[in-house]
Amino acid sequence: MSASQIIIFKLSFSHSIRRSCFSSSSKSIAFFFLRSSNSYLTLPRSIRFTSPVSPSSSSSVITNQGRGGYGQQTWVQKPTTEITSTAMEDTTSSIAEAVSNRLSELSIAENNGQSHASVQAVKLGSVQVANQDPMQGQKVLWKPNSYGTVSGATETGNASEAATSQKSSMSLSKILKGNLLENFTVDNSTYSLAEIRATFYPKFENEKSDQEVRARMIEVVSKGLGTLEVSLKHSGSLFMYAGHKGGAYAKNSFGNIYTAVGVFVLGRLFREAWGAEALKKQAQFNDFLEENRMCISMELVTAVLGDHGQRPQEDYAVVTAVTELGNGKPKFYSTPKIIAFCRKWRLPTNHVWLFSTRKSATSFFAAYDALCEEGTATSVCRALDEVADISIPGSIDHIKVQGEILEGLVARIVSHESSKQMEEVLQDFPPLPIEGADLDLGPSLRAICAANRSDEKQQIKALLQSVGSSFCPAYLDWFGTETGDIHSKNADRSVLTKFLQSHPADFSTAKLQEMIRLIRERRFPAAFKCYHNFHKIDSVSKDNLFYKMVIHVHSDSTFRRYQKEMRHKPGLWPLYRGFFVDINLFKANKEKSAEIAKSNSMGGIACGNGGVSGTGDLADDDANLMIKLKFLTYKIRTFLIRNGLSILFKDGPAAYKAYYLRQMNIWGTSAAKQRQLSKMLDEWAVYIRRKHGNRQLSSSVYLSEAEPFLEQYARRSPENQALIGSAGNLVRAEEFLAIVEGVRDEEGDLDTEREVPPSTGPSVEIAVQKDEGLIVFFPGIPGCAKSALCKELLNAPGGLGDDRPVHSLMGDLIKGKYWAKVADERRKRPYSILLADKNAPNEEVWRQIESMCRSTRASAVPVVPDSKGTDTNPFSLDALAVFMFRVLQRVNHPGNLDKNSPNAGYVLLMFYHLYDGKSREEFESELVERFDSLIKMPLLKDDRRPLPDGVKSVLEEGINLYKLHSNRHGRLESTKGSYAKEWAKWEKQLRDTLDSNANYLESVQVPFESVVKQVLEKLRLVAKGEHQTVSTEKRKFGVIVFAAVSLPDTNILSLLKNLSGKDPNIEHFFKDKDMEHCLKKAHVTLAHKKSHGVSVVASYGPFLHQNVPVELTALLFTDKMAALEAQLGSVDGEKIISQNQWPHVTIWTGEGVAPKEANNLPQLHSEGKATLIEINPPTTITGTLEFY
């Protein structure tokens, strides 16, 4: 680092990317770089755009580009084409007529070639829009060429348009009248060609805990193998755009209000950035995406699509990915290349930070830990700017356009060359000026949605017409799907079946077929929905069919399970988020078949690297290292308030309290914040129930009620303000909220059939597939209450929430091999829910259950007693004591394991040791890995007293005896062998000890009624496919308030004892004080978050858990306090410096005196009000640097 230097790039802008930031004065944004040399890396794959085109020309870019990056670009003149249409002619088929008429209604009356034609202004709702393009030299006024209400089709009078419309009508008639798909048979001449049309990054689920991922990230950076890249997570929806021919897509859908809003916002971004050049640039951008088969992904943030964490002040989008789809596996741009691409097209970029040293990487995670419960956009960005090696501000300001409530951060490992690449890109591609600042851009998104309130279709059409034909020349993806017969659900299965049965025409198709087959064979929760591709209407024939496929993953568990398959089959392509594929089914003659066979035999089409470009030589596991870090101020609104509404209104305040406490426990929320939040959320529950009664508040507009409540709550105290983060800037959305017909989730991703409607009788539609069964099993120990639980589950009203029969097999009543009997029952009743009432303690049993799931089409869920466990066993001694106590209370047990069993204690120790060698984390992680879910059965109260010494002692004695016995005799019964007498004595001692502690053992157990309720609730979620596995790790990192060197109390006590022996004054001072208690938390404070700032506290991150020598030089005291003067040593040659003016260890304070008052001891001594005794020679004590 000594050779490094800070380089500050100041790039001047005349305007920021957002209209709200437009100003006549230029603005400067500083980019901070930490780099090791003055030379710049010349990237072989760097992007260099040149554009010698004149402002008045209509051009398209033709790129001579290989897979390695951009080559030279030349601009050539492209003829302007008129894209217009008229009303469709009647056809003999009523279905074709309906579709054709719909296409007619979607036409756009716009002539792209007549740039100076004046058109009469028309009115849309209450919004007046003029249709006139600017003359050169005049003041620029943005006026779309066609913009009106959408009650009917627009009129045109061009004969060529009618011919085009008639041709499309005939093509549609041909599709529908001939029933082409049904008559399309698969034979040896049938081929399929599949091309990915739009996709987002693969969703990688970390196998390790967040703490382990963080540690690995720091290790990778420390060794110079990679760089830690962090970006803001804006709170919006995924929007993907592949050009007007490639299509616009949401996360799992297309052709709806979500994609229409996305197209409008993207089109408006071009107007803001390019001004009078916008029409031309929009057309060029579409051509560029189509010619290069590319897709851009954006975070779409609007106030019209429903509430997230905070309603944005403006509607905007940020580019999050740029993807080359090519003819193989998608290739995602690295962040430097994304910034270059966005600056070339003047698209908005995100705020990004790079951490290339161990110091900066550890400081980042420490900064997050200090801010995770109260961070807002301002405090987070400021702290990261201070600790990052490179900070690249986004072209839009989150605070101005979104607000202070920040969803989170995304951290991932990228190539160690990323810093140099970023330097070069920022030099080669400075931000371009914004030319639309003075334009009247016409009605906003909110104005259009407010003026068109009849239905979703009206809003969609109004938005698309406002965009203009240069960007959206046809509405096929939105309204071509309107006729039900075209997109009937019956077509989905037949298209998919024929696609999988046909020969792959290239390597990519074969890989996509492989992916789909595996997902279907493993019965992963996913759907493959196929639709007619209306962009290919003119190419359709009886031997040539075109479709769009949406690969919709229903559960995150699918990604996790698919990743597991990828580890066993490295050649598998990733499963992407937002996955859309164009499919072509066709017949090939002998010549074409031979050509395809030859191409495939030569290896087909290169598949590319399939990952993010610029990952360099990172190992696969490191290249996929990513972690999402969210902030509590966002989670309060979305998880605790919005997502808790249905529970609050349906099940009442008590259930709501249980819900939010469980969420906070999962997150590892600090005790102080839990107390504050509980008080606030209880008040919220009373407030909203009193105001709305039994009428549930809509989650799409929940902020209309939540924001005013949070605002008034925050005003009461600074503590409340810190809890809330920010409130009071509510944007009223009810008047312009987009109309969403049917029920979809917040991103519009889920079709209505996936939703579970309210119960109305026997005809309730269930969201879980009924063509498979469910096995509920219990990896536990006798006494864990599984049989009692199974009995309650069997008798529960409504069963597990669906119509599958529930039955139980009790192990103690089964003759012969139990799990073989379970397999027989599964084959007899494959669609039932089976409660396997027997302990399932090891991998051998788990493998049998996995085999049953595969052979009988079933899922399985383990139910385990909740316990902290030990380092070598998933069950703690507290849990074992309760299990033994329960067993010894039994009478007449079917399996003869009760109070009359002479060796009951030995049997439980045998079961206990079946789990030996696994920590709790390893135990739960393995179950989740195998079965994708885990339900914890409550066992012990959190506020219980420690296990009595007598109980602990007898259990430890039994464990030692078991080890002696098993080492000598293996699994021989305890009543036999050389230790029989010892066992008999111990069994009696065990009973006596447990009996004498019966009151304690009964008091520490969670009431059984509560256990049944919680497990039943979770099992019903599993049956519905909605259960989310709880993290298997208790969070080991959290809120950081200050950094300090912690000192061992024994060393300080020894020092004080020595000093007291030498000085009577010291002995007198300490004689009546409980110093052993006072020194439990002895430390030297280094920095405090409130006093010194987050980044200063975070700067100690590189030394976390490191040993620090502390030299104690003097004792200062008054009658109210005492402290030791301290001088800090070094770690690895670097001096540890305290930010306190007087480094010290506070060792005692009187009643009512705050520890921080000890800072005043030097001043008090100078005033003669404190005693100072030097320690000569000074004493050195080694402590560890920790965060508190």
Side-chain angles (χ1 to χ4, degrees):
M1 290 181 57
S2 60
S4 301
Q5 64 184 80
I6 298 293
I7 300 179
I8 301 179
F9 287 89
K10 290 198 176 284
L11 304 175
S12 272
F13 299 86
S14 58
H15 302 284
S16 74
I17 194 72
R18 297 301 303 164
R19 270 211 311 158
S20 64
C21 306
F22 291 149
S23 128
S24 57
S25 61
S26 64
K27 298 183 179 181
S28 295
I29 295 182
F31 302 91
F32 301 92
F33 299 90
L34 180 63
R35 50 190 219 88
S36 58
S37 70
N38 294 326
S39 62
Y40 289 95
L41 174 69
T42 302
L43 300 178
R45 288 158 58 175
S46 63
I47 312 172
R48 299 181 182 276
F49 297 106
T50 57
S51 175
V53 73
S54 66
S56 61
S57 64
S58 178
S59 308
S60 67
V61 60
I62 299 179
T63 309
N64 181 13
Q65 178 185 353
R67 294 195 64 83
Y70 288 86
Q72 292 183 345
Q73 296 180 336
T74 57
W75 295 85
V76 297
Q77 191 74 15
K78 182 177 181 180
T80 303
T81 57
E82 299 179 0
I83 308 174
T84 56
S85 62
T86 61
M88 300 288 187
E89 294 184 357
D90 293 340
T91 65
T92 55
S93 167
S94 60
I95 297 177
E97 179 181 5
V99 178
S100 301
N101 288 341
R102 173 53 57 192
L103 289 176
S104 168
E105 294 172 9
L106 304 184
S107 61
I108 301 176
E110 177 171 344
N111 188 333
N112 223 15
Q114 299 173 358
S115 59
H116 303 296
S118 177
V119 185
Q120 184 71 26
V122 293
K123 195 172 184 180
L124 173 61
S126 61
V127 182
Q128 182 80 17
V129 186
N131 271 345
Q132 182 177 353
D133 281 351
M135 299 292 288
Q136 292 188 1
Q138 295 181 345
K139 176 178 173 60
V140 177
L141 179 66
W142 176 267
K143 298 170 183 177
N145 292 338
S146 176
Y147 187 29
T149 55
V150 292
S151 57
T154 56
E155 296 181 0
T156 63
N158 193 309
S160 63
E161 296 166 358
T164 302
S165 177
Q166 182 177 5
K167 183 177 180 182
S168 297
S169 176
M170 293 171 63
S171 298
L172 284 170
S173 300
K174 185 167 56 178
I175 294 174
L176 300 173
K177 288 178 65 177
N179 210 355
L180 296 181
L181 179 61
E182 183 178 335
N183 295 329
F184 187 92
T185 58
V186 178
D187 53 31
N188 200 42
S189 65
T190 305
Y191 288 84
S192 59
L193 181 66
E195 295 180 327
I196 297 176
R197 210 62 179 94
T199 192
F200 193 53
Y201 294 114
K203 184 178 179 65
F204 284 98
E205 295 285 339
N206 295 318
E207 290 183 313
K208 300 179 179 179
S209 67
D210 283 357
Q211 186 70 7
E212 289 174 308
V213 172
R214 288 162 56 139
R216 178 56 186 163
M217 285 179 162
I218 293 172
E219 182 182 3
V220 170
V221 173
S222 301
K223 293 179 177 179
L225 301 175
T227 296
L228 180 64
E229 178 187 281
V230 177
S231 58
L232 288 181
K233 175 68 176 74
H234 293 253
S235 184
S237 307
L238 175 62
F239 172 68
M240 294 171 287
Y241 187 70
H244 69 83
K245 292 181 181 179
Y249 305 89
K251 186 179 178 183
N252 292 304
S253 61
F254 69 99
N256 53 32
I257 187 65
Y258 294 87
T259 54
V261 168
V263 169
F264 177 88
V265 171
L266 181 56
R268 195 175 183 91
L269 288 173
F270 270 91
R271 300 182 200 174
E272 293 174 353
W274 292 98
E277 294 286 296
L279 288 175
K280 179 180 69 178
K281 290 298 181 181
Q282 286 174 341
Q284 290 175 357
F285 185 66
N286 277 330
D287 290 341
F288 181 83
L289 294 180
E290 181 66 25
E291 291 168 7
N292 294 280
R293 284 195 52 77
M294 295 179 69
C295 166
I296 64 167
S297 300
M298 313 183 80
E299 190 75 12
L300 177 63
V301 185
T302 81
V304 308
L305 293 178
D307 288 342
H308 291 257
Q310 185 178 32
R311 287 180 189 162
Q313 300 300 305
E314 298 184 32
D315 303 308
Y316 69 97
V318 175
V319 176
T320 52
V322 177
T323 314
E324 289 181 0
L325 302 172
N327 291 315
K329 190 189 295 184
K331 176 184 174 184
F332 296 90
Y333 278 15
S334 65
T335 299
K337 292 186 71 174
I338 291 175
I339 292 176
F341 177 91
C342 289
R343 289 189 174 180
K344 188 251 182 177
W345 291 104
R346 301 186 187 179
L347 293 172
T349 55
N350 201 358
H351 199 150
V352 178
W353 295 267
L354 295 179
F355 304 84
S356 56
T357 64
R358 183 178 186 276
K359 181 177 181 179
S360 62
T362 52
S363 297
F364 160 69
F365 286 117
Y368 169 75
D369 287 346
L371 292 168
C372 63
E373 290 192 346
E374 56 189 41
T376 59
T378 295
S379 60
V380 171
C381 292
R382 181 190 302 122
L384 266 59
D385 283 343
E386 291 172 353
V387 300
D389 296 315
I390 299 179
S391 176
I392 307 96
S395 56
I396 59 173
D397 188 337
H398 188 287
I399 299 167
K400 293 181 179 178
V401 295
Q402 168 75 75
E404 282 286 0
I405 299 303
L406 176 61
E407 178 174 344
L409 303 167
V410 178
R412 62 176 184 165
I413 290 293
V414 297
S415 168
H416 68 283
E417 297 288 342
S418 186
S419 298
K420 294 181 180 179
Q421 294 170 3
M422 189 69 76
E423 282 187 38
E424 183 171 307
V425 164
L426 295 177
Q427 284 188 335
D428 293 348
F429 298 93
L432 297 175
I434 303 305
E435 298 180 2
D438 299 324
L439 288 180
D440 178 359
L441 300 178
S444 68
L445 171 64
R446 302 178 189 188
I448 294 173
C449 289
N452 293 270
R453 304 297 299 166
S454 63
D455 57 28
E456 180 179 353
K457 295 173 186 175
Q458 185 196 35
Q459 284 189 340
I460 291 174
K461 191 179 292 186
L463 289 170
L464 298 179
Q465 285 182 336
S466 175
V467 171
S469 63
S470 62
F471 203 56
C472 185
Y475 304 166
L476 296 177
D477 283 344
W478 285 270
F479 296 100
T481 64
E482 184 169 322
T483 300
D485 287 341
I486 299 177
H487 286 277
S488 67
K489 299 299 180 184
N490 293 334
D492 287 9
R493 189 181 297 273
S494 58
V495 171
L496 184 62
T497 300
K498 294 178 180 182
F499 169 66
L500 294 177
Q501 290 174 346
S502 60
H503 300 301
D506 64 2
F507 178 79
S508 299
T509 305
K511 299 307 291 182
L512 289 168
Q513 287 177 333
E514 179 186 27
M515 172 193 295
I516 294 170
R517 287 193 186 102
L518 186 142
I519 292 173
R520 283 161 58 91
E521 289 169 2
R522 298 291 189 271
R523 298 186 299 280
F524 294 163
F528 306 90
K529 302 176 182 179
C530 299
Y531 306 93
H532 285 280
N533 188 343
F534 285 90
H535 295 282
K536 301 290 187 178
I537 287 176
D538 294 338
S539 301
V540 171
S541 69
K542 65 182 182 64
D543 293 333
N544 199 30
L545 305 180
F546 295 87
Y547 300 94
K548 280 182 176 289
M549 177 189 290
V550 181
I551 301 178
H552 182 178
V553 176
H554 290 312
S555 170
D556 281 351
S557 68
T558 298
F559 291 105
R560 185 171 59 253
R561 294 162 71 182
Y562 189 86
Q563 276 179 242
K564 182 179 177 182
E565 297 291 340
M566 288 181 67
R567 290 193 292 274
H568 298 310
K569 301 177 181 178
L572 276 175
W573 276 17
L575 180 59
Y576 300 97
R577 288 173 289 171
F579 205 164
F580 299 84
V581 181
D582 283 355
I583 292 178
N584 176 203
L585 299 176
F586 64 94
K587 302 285 186 176
N589 56 30
K590 291 183 178 180
E591 290 77 12
K592 182 64 174 177
S593 296
E595 182 182 336
I596 293 173
K598 181 179 179 181
S599 175
N600 288 343
S601 67
M602 296 174 62
I605 296 173
C607 62
N609 65 10
V612 179
S613 66
T615 54
D617 53 0
L618 285 170
D620 288 344
D621 289 344
D622 293 335
N624 295 328
L625 279 177
M626 187 189 76
I627 189 171
K628 293 181 180 179
L629 305 166
K630 294 194 176 184
F631 293 96
L632 184 61
T633 50
Y634 168 84
K635 293 191 286 188
I636 289 171
R637 291 160 167 80
T638 53
F639 290 93
L640 301 186
I641 293 181
R642 183 191 64 187
N643 295 358
L645 286 171
S646 61
I647 298 173
L648 175 60
F649 281 91
K650 291 178 182 178
D651 302 326
Y656 176 59
K657 188 179 187 72
Y659 162 76
Y660 72 64
L661 287 174
R662 185 166 61 250
Q663 286 294 325
M664 289 190 284
N665 186 52
I666 292 170
W667 298 334
T669 307
S670 67
K673 287 295 181 184
Q674 288 201 37
R675 290 192 295 270
Q676 295 172 29
L677 280 172
S678 295
K679 179 181 177 182
M680 187 268 286
L681 292 170
D682 287 345
E683 189 172 323
W684 157 256
V686 172
Y687 166 82
I688 199 64
R689 292 257 298 183
R690 182 181 298 159
K691 185 169 184 178
H692 281 255
N694 294 323
R695 180 173 51 87
Q696 181 177 329
L697 175 66
S698 170
S699 61
S700 63
V701 291
Y702 82 98
L703 284 173
S704 295
E705 295 289 356
E707 197 70 34
F709 170 83
L710 295 172
E711 180 183 10
Q712 61 84 19
Y713 193 86
R715 286 180 183 152
R716 298 181 193 173
S717 69
E719 182 183 74
N720 287 1
Q721 181 64 58
L723 179 72
I724 302 303
S726 175
N729 55 344
L730 179 66
V731 175
R732 288 288 171 187
E734 286 78 3
E735 294 183 357
F736 55 73
L737 197 68
I739 299 171
V740 181
E741 296 177 354
V743 182
R744 303 188 196 125
D745 73 345
E746 63 185 21
E747 290 192 22
D749 302 321
L750 304 182
D751 293 337
T752 55
E753 65 263 25
R754 290 290 299 171
E755 298 294 328
V756 182
S759 178
T760 57
S763 61
V764 172
E765 183 180 3
I766 304 300
V768 66
Q769 296 181 0
K770 298 303 183 301
D771 59 350
E772 69 176 29
L774 178 66
I775 303 172
V776 181
F777 68 103
F778 302 86
I781 292 176
C784 67
K786 64 184 179 307
S787 297
L789 178 63
C790 288
K791 183 178 179 181
E792 294 296 327
L793 295 176
L794 281 172
N795 297 326
L800 295 189
D802 63 21
D803 57 2
R804 287 179 293 181
V806 181
H807 62 107
S808 175
L809 282 179
M810 187 174 185
D812 294 316
L813 299 178
I814 299 297
K815 302 289 186 181
K817 295 184 177 180
Y818 176 81
W819 294 107
K821 180 65 174 176
V822 171
D824 290 338
E825 285 295 314
R826 285 290 311 128
R827 285 188 285 269
K828 292 176 183 177
R829 293 190 270 187
Y831 307 133
S832 65
I833 298 175
L834 189 149
L835 307 178
D837 183 7
K838 185 177 179 65
N839 290 301
N842 51 38
E843 291 89 344
E844 181 181 351
V845 174
W846 301 347
R847 282 194 293 269
Q848 291 183 58
I849 296 172
E850 285 181 295
S851 178
M852 275 184 264
C853 290
R854 287 191 293 267
S855 62
T856 65
R857 289 182 59 82
S859 299
V861 55
V863 179
V864 301
D866 199 0
S867 171
K868 289 185 177 179
T870 69
D871 291 337
T872 59
N873 198 293
F875 297 103
S876 64
L877 291 182
D878 303 58
L880 179 60
V882 169
F883 296 154
M884 288 183 169
F885 178 75
R886 288 175 176 176
V887 167
L888 294 174
Q889 300 298 306
R890 295 173 177 173
V891 291
N892 300 322
H893 183 258
N896 297 320
L897 187 62
D898 52 31
K899 64 187 302 182
N900 295 319
S901 304
N903 61 343
Y906 166 79
V907 172
L908 267 80
L909 286 175
M910 182 181 66
F911 270 95
Y912 181 77
H913 281 85
L914 289 175
Y915 298 94
D916 215 27
K918 281 190 176 71
S919 67
R920 185 70 184 192
E921 181 181 344
E922 292 168 339
F923 169 72
E924 292 183 358
S925 296
E926 183 170 352
L927 286 169
V928 171
E929 178 72 12
R930 289 176 180 271
F931 302 102
D932 300 304
S933 60
L934 177 73
I935 291 178
K936 295 183 181 181
M937 180 167 52
L939 177 64
L940 300 171
K941 295 179 180 177
D942 290 334
D943 57 352
R944 67 186 183 277
R945 290 180 288 112
L947 188 68
D949 291 339
V951 178
K952 183 178 180 182
S953 177
V954 75
L955 292 179
E956 289 175 343
E957 183 179 341
I959 290 172
N960 292 333
L961 182 58
Y962 180 86
K963 290 178 180 177
L964 291 172
H965 175 89
S966 58
N967 287 338
R968 176 170 294 188
H969 302 294
R971 301 189 67 175
L972 183 70
E973 292 180 10
S974 62
T975 56
K976 303 174 183 178
S978 56
Y979 297 99
K981 291 182 180 180
E982 286 81 359
W983 276 119
K985 180 181 177 182
W986 179 82
E987 290 280 356
K988 183 178 185 306
Q989 183 184 358
L990 173 68
R991 285 160 171 76
D992 293 341
T993 304
L994 296 183
D995 285 343
S996 63
N997 289 277
N999 290 336
Y1000 168 84
L1001 293 169
E1002 288 175 348
S1003 68
V1004 298
Q1005 299 180 46
V1006 175
F1008 186 62
E1009 296 78 9
S1010 177
V1011 173
V1012 173
K1013 182 179 178 181
Q1014 291 188 45
V1015 173
L1016 182 60
E1017 174 187 321
K1018 294 173 184 176
L1019 279 174
R1020 283 173 173 167
L1021 290 176
V1022 169
K1024 295 177 183 179
E1026 299 173 358
H1027 179 67
Q1028 292 185 348
T1029 301
V1030 175
S1031 171
T1032 59
E1033 179 209 43
K1034 290 289 184 181
R1035 185 174 174 185
K1036 296 182 177 64
F1037 52 92
V1039 182
I1040 292 175
V1041 177
F1042 64 95
V1045 177
S1046 177
L1047 297 173
D1049 56 337
T1050 54
N1051 295 53
I1052 299 178
L1053 281 170
S1054 177
L1055 170 65
L1056 295 178
K1057 185 177 180 180
N1058 291 335
L1059 292 176
S1060 297
K1062 297 177 181 179
D1063 192 319
N1065 292 326
I1066 298 177
E1067 182 181 14
H1068 178 75
F1069 180 80
F1070 287 114
K1071 71 176 182 179
D1072 58 345
K1073 296 175 176 59
D1074 184 4
M1075 295 308 298
E1076 188 172 346
H1077 174 74
C1078 295
L1079 293 172
K1080 288 295 183 184
K1081 298 181 180 179
H1083 62 270
V1084 181
T1085 300
L1086 301 176
H1088 197 285
K1089 182 167 64 175
K1090 290 185 178 179
S1091 303
H1092 306 106
V1094 170
S1095 61
V1096 175
V1097 174
S1099 68
Y1100 293 98
F1103 311 107
L1104 189 63
H1105 309 316
Q1106 297 291 311
N1107 290 332
V1108 181
V1110 179
E1111 189 177 72
L1112 303 176
T1113 58
L1115 170 67
L1116 287 81
F1117 59 90
T1118 68
D1119 58 346
K1120 294 182 179 179
M1121 67 191 104
L1124 294 166
E1125 186 176 70
Q1127 293 184 7
L1128 297 163
S1130 301
V1131 175
D1132 295 332
E1134 188 164 348
K1135 178 76 173 176
I1136 302 298
I1137 299 174
S1138 172
Q1139 301 301 313
N1140 277 347
Q1141 188 174 1
W1142 182 58
H1144 65 279
V1145 184
T1146 302
I1147 58 176
W1148 174 81
T1149 57
E1151 186 175 351
V1153 179
K1156 66 179 181 180
E1157 296 297 323
N1159 283 295
N1160 299 322
L1161 281 170
Q1163 178 64 32
L1164 292 173
H1165 174 257
S1166 66
E1167 297 171 358
K1169 299 178 181 179
T1171 301
L1172 184 152
I1173 299 176
E1174 292 187 358
I1175 302 174
N1176 194 9
T1179 297
T1180 298
I1181 298 176
T1182 300
T1184 57
L1185 196 152
E1186 305 290 347
F1187 286 135
Y1188 295 90

